[in-house]
Amino acid sequence: MNQILRLTTALAFGVLTALPAAAVELKIGLQDDADVLDPAQSRSFVGRIVYTAMCDKLVDVSPDLKIIPQLATDWAWSEGGKVLTMKLREGVKFHDDTPLDAAAVVTTIERNLTMAESRRKSELASVEKVEAAGPLEVKFTLKQPDATLLAQLSDRAGMIVSPKAAKELGANFGSKPVCAGPFKFVERVQQDRIVLEKFKDYWNKDNVFIDKVTYTPIPDSTVRLANLQSGDLDFIERLAPTDAAAVKGDSKLTYADVVNIGNMSIYVNVGNGARANNPMGKDKRLRQAFSLAMDREALMQIVFEGTAVAGNQPFPPSSAWFNKAVPVPQRDVAKAKALIKEAGFDRVPVEIQIPNNPVVQQTMQIIQSMVAEAGFDVTLKSTEFATLLDEQTRGNYQLSRSDWSGRVDPDGNIHQFVTCKGGLNDTKYCNAEVDKLLNEARASTDEKVRKQKYDAAAVILNDEQPMIYLGHQSWIWAMKKNVTGFTPSPDGMIRLIGLKKGS
């Protein structure tokens, strides 16, 4: 009998001691589903949120928009700004346990530059060659000085991926991405979830307090908030401005916001395939009229409760890079009508594709009503966001409404969108003078020279309007009270280092 009791006790004790501490899972609600999870190929904002947890970069951006170390601990410029040498952190591993060294960095950068599907080519266009100067030292040799390179390396172009996985999977890397961030990829179900788990060998693992992260795309901001309030989510991004008061008044939730560095705009297909052959794509007077028919200030107040600012350039009016000689236009329906008539139209049919989230839908319905007064008959075509981006890329649209989350360096908010071979130039706008100005701005480290170039480009772009800018919104987050340690950043990222979730 005593033997049985001892055995039972031992078994019970064994079971008890085998139980691990409860895993801490953070459930995050995203506005959209991410596109392909390959830093070389992707272009979505929410993809970058996922990468912040999964794929470390050579450098990162601080909340005050300074470049700070991440995989590179130190860097220096030489030879008149044509050589960048970076020293890498020791002991870093990829999620497949292979080492992150200089050779891995070279492989990633070369992949970004040469892979047919890569969208990073224009961001790294100044790079002549990249080579290992030692086991943990990388040397970038440039064709000409490039003031934007560090900023590019703080984003997707600087996310270092496992050479082993990249070689095995090729353009299909996004099906099972392998990076060197605090969390590693577990699974993805399109339109449902992306699941990551803590990487036990992460170089900064002592500051990672979450065991598992699940990202769930919920385009409807009202439903996203309801899931947070019910406890099905712990954290949501892009809270609707109209819901800010409700969150601030809820003792179980925490509110956070910051003005972003990106923009909201309408892309006009001026040269991307057969569908560019439409009135708006062919005549800049109609694009100018459309812009003048909108009341941007009213739009920002009605939809964004004053948390957004009206704009007409890639940079917000508060930015040093904004051209004050090209101010945000006041609504002028009479002038818009005159331009439409001058272009030979009475009414102008326009189809605009929009993502299927309520805030954008409300914005575009108000615009639809505003421009109708001037003579535009707008049809809104709602679609899932990743599909919208795909249609933009393929040129299967007339006009398309999309946001840009913004980059630290001004180049990242303009060059790739409007230069002839820009990686995100879905309008296929091409103007040799704009290319010249923006390439010269890239090559200069003199801020006065850069400002002159951006100002000159702004004048041309404001006249031709391949992209019709609407304004600049704030990033707004909401989270459960037991989620602590989150620091809002103007780049809109959700950085999980130091973030905790209590019981």
Side-chain angles (χ1 to χ4, degrees):
M1 180 69 181
N2 286 344
Q3 279 183 319
I4 294 171
L5 182 63
R6 281 197 300 270
L7 180 61
T8 306
T9 304
L11 284 170
F13 182 74
V15 169
L16 287 171
T17 54
L19 286 174
V24 179
E25 180 182 4
L26 188 73
K27 293 173 284 188
I28 299 177
L30 303 176
Q31 180 170 291
D32 313 296
D33 196 19
D35 59 344
V36 58
L37 290 176
D38 180 347
Q41 298 184 61
S42 65
R43 58 176 298 172
S44 69
F45 171 67
V46 287
R48 292 175 62 227
I49 292 177
V50 176
Y51 291 142
T52 302
M54 189 171 68
C55 300
D56 273 11
K57 305 159 292 191
L58 288 170
V59 290
D60 199 11
V61 178
S62 67
D64 60 352
L65 302 178
K66 299 286 194 299
I67 303 293
I68 57 174
Q70 195 165 63
L71 292 173
T73 55
D74 194 21
W75 53 89
W77 290 96
S78 59
E79 295 184 32
K82 288 185 70 174
V83 172
L84 173 65
T85 304
M86 307 188 95
K87 291 183 179 176
L88 303 178
R89 193 175 295 279
E90 288 186 35
V92 177
K93 286 183 180 180
F94 290 108
H95 300 151
D96 59 5
D97 291 326
T98 57
L100 193 154
D101 54 15
V105 174
V106 170
T107 299
T108 294
I109 300 299
E110 289 181 343
R111 179 176 187 263
N112 288 342
L113 284 167
T114 60
M115 188 170 75
E117 296 83 358
S118 173
R119 290 183 178 276
R120 310 282 78 89
K121 292 171 186 172
S122 65
E123 298 165 14
L124 297 169
S126 64
V127 177
E128 178 77 47
K129 63 177 178 177
V130 57
E131 56 197 321
L136 293 173
E137 190 169 300
V138 181
K139 179 179 170 185
F140 291 83
T141 302
L142 311 185
K143 299 167 189 172
Q144 67 276 328
D146 181 359
T148 77
L149 184 59
L150 276 176
Q152 303 290 11
L153 297 176
S154 75
D155 195 42
R156 288 173 290 221
M159 294 175 188
I160 308 306
V161 304
S162 160
K164 179 174 179 283
K167 184 178 180 182
E168 287 173 0
L169 296 168
N172 199 33
F173 179 86
S175 65
K176 195 176 181 183
V178 180
C179 296
F183 295 86
K184 65 180 183 178
F185 180 80
V186 176
E187 68 165 341
R188 176 179 193 174
V189 179
Q190 294 279 356
Q191 304 301 324
D192 183 69
R193 65 187 181 274
I194 294 170
V195 182
L196 311 179
E197 67 182 14
K198 182 177 177 178
F199 178 45
K200 61 180 174 52
D201 290 325
Y202 181 57
W203 62 269
N204 193 17
K205 62 181 179 292
D206 292 345
N207 287 313
V208 180
F209 305 105
I210 305 295
D211 298 306
K212 179 182 177 183
V213 191
T214 300
Y215 299 93
T216 303
I218 305 175
D220 190 314
S221 53
T222 305
V223 176
R224 208 156 56 245
L225 176 57
N227 275 264
L228 178 68
Q229 291 167 326
S230 70
D232 289 338
L233 293 174
D234 301 304
F235 195 115
I236 61 173
E237 55 103 17
R238 280 179 283 183
L239 176 76
T242 48
D243 291 326
V247 171
K248 288 177 181 178
D250 190 329
S251 62
K252 297 177 182 177
L253 302 177
T254 301
Y255 173 94
D257 71 5
V258 67
V259 176
N260 78 20
I261 49 177
N263 59 66
M264 300 177 280
S265 64
I266 299 173
Y267 292 60
V268 183
N269 187 348
V270 298
N272 193 351
R275 295 204 66 192
N277 189 21
N278 71 82
M280 290 282 285
K282 291 301 176 190
D283 197 323
K284 70 180 182 182
R285 291 171 297 188
L286 295 178
R287 301 193 288 274
Q288 292 166 357
F290 193 96
S291 178
L292 286 167
M294 291 187 291
D295 186 335
R296 289 171 169 83
E297 292 291 350
L299 205 58
M300 299 305 123
Q301 291 300 324
I302 296 166
V303 180
F304 299 98
E305 305 266 316
T307 62
V309 296
N312 66 326
Q313 297 175 36
F315 323 115
S318 59
S319 168
W321 303 105
F322 183 85
N323 184 350
K324 290 184 171 62
V326 185
V328 179
Q330 296 295 308
R331 190 181 192 213
D332 191 336
V333 175
K335 190 173 179 182
K337 284 181 175 179
L339 284 165
I340 291 171
K341 188 176 180 181
E342 188 182 309
F345 287 85
D346 176 36
R347 307 290 302 178
V348 185
V350 183
E351 181 190 271
I352 309 178
Q353 68 166 4
I354 64 172
N356 61 342
N357 78 72
V359 175
V360 173
Q361 288 174 337
Q362 184 191 8
T363 305
M364 296 309 298
Q365 284 162 1
I366 293 170
I367 288 174
Q368 181 183 39
S369 176
M370 286 176 172
V371 301
E373 292 180 42
F376 291 99
D377 296 322
V378 172
T379 303
L380 298 175
K381 180 185 175 185
S382 182
T383 185
E384 190 274 320
F385 186 64
T387 303
L388 177 141
L389 292 179
D390 184 53
E391 298 283 66
Q392 274 186 198
T393 301
R394 294 192 294 114
N396 189 21
Y397 74 101
Q398 287 187 4
L399 275 70
S400 184
R401 167 74 180 84
S402 190
D403 293 344
W404 177 242
S405 53
R407 298 295 182 271
V408 180
D409 190 276
D411 177 89
N413 301 318
I414 185 169
H415 190 284
Q416 57 196 330
F417 296 96
V418 294
T419 51
C420 296
K421 294 184 179 178
L424 298 176
N425 183 356
D426 291 340
T427 69
K428 291 296 183 273
Y429 171 77
C430 187
N431 181 311
E433 181 61 20
V434 170
D435 271 33
K436 180 174 180 288
L437 288 165
L438 296 183
N439 287 334
E440 288 172 350
R442 254 188 181 185
S444 178
T445 53
D446 184 328
E447 290 205 354
K448 286 183 179 177
V449 171
R450 298 188 79 196
K451 172 69 171 151
Q452 290 168 356
K453 304 296 182 185
Y454 289 126
D455 280 356
V459 172
I460 299 170
L461 293 168
N462 187 63
D463 177 58
E464 301 197 330
Q465 299 212 28
M467 296 175 70
I468 301 170
Y469 298 99
L470 306 176
H472 313 267
Q473 60 186 310
S474 290
W475 300 125
I476 309 178
W477 301 271
M479 64 210 80
K480 287 182 183 174
K481 265 286 191 287
N482 66 342
V483 175
T484 57
F486 172 68
T487 303
S489 180
D491 65 3
M493 294 298 100
I494 301 170
R495 291 174 172 81
L496 300 180
I497 299 297
L499 192 144
K500 297 179 180 179
K501 179 187 170 183
S503 55

